[in-house]
Amino acid sequence: QYYALLNIFELGGEPSPTRPYLFNGDFVDRGSFSVETVLLLFAWKVLYPNSVHLSRGNHETKLMNTTYGFEGEVLAKYDRTVMDLFTEVFNWLPLAHVIDHQVI
């Protein structure tokens, strides 16, 4: 998934105020580079908070992270504190966005 994300930015251009992106969840549990994928998305969100929009998918939950491997990946690369921070951030992500008066 990490390399697919890089490909999206290569083909569509990097996020910017004139090139917004909406990512509809499931950033993790899709391979061995889930940490890198979600950290890259978070970095773009911090750089362009009004141009990068992240929705919470069903894999951004504690149960799914434990079941499908994201927790194991984080613990192998970092520690429990980092995993707890991911869980907290995931809990703050919106479940949907409104675009042109429609819930997306």
Side-chain angles (χ1 to χ4, degrees):
Q1 191 171 6
Y2 178 72
Y3 293 104
L5 180 61
L6 293 179
N7 192 48
I8 288 170
F9 293 143
E10 184 176 323
L11 295 175
E14 295 178 347
S16 70
T18 59
R19 191 178 298 113
Y21 280 90
L22 169 61
F23 294 97
N24 285 318
D26 289 357
F27 314 125
V28 299
D29 297 325
R30 303 283 187 233
S32 57
F33 296 104
S34 291
V35 170
E36 291 79 5
T37 300
V38 73
L39 287 177
L40 180 59
L41 289 170
F42 288 167
W44 281 116
K45 178 66 177 169
V46 168
L47 187 60
Y48 296 114
N50 297 315
S51 299
V52 175
H53 309 282
L54 307 172
S55 296
R56 183 179 182 182
N58 66 319
H59 279 263
E60 284 75 46
T61 64
K62 186 163 181 52
L63 177 62
M64 295 293 267
N65 291 167
T66 301
T67 303
Y68 289 97
F70 181 65
E71 180 178 63
E73 180 184 343
V74 172
L75 295 178
K77 294 177 179 178
Y78 299 100
D79 59 22
R80 172 58 53 192
T81 301
V82 173
M83 185 62 223
D84 291 344
L85 289 170
F86 274 121
T87 300
E88 184 174 347
V89 172
F90 291 161
N91 287 339
W92 282 99
L93 290 176
L95 298 176
H97 286 86
V98 176
I99 299 175
D100 291 333
H101 307 288
Q102 295 182 5
V103 176
I104 304 290

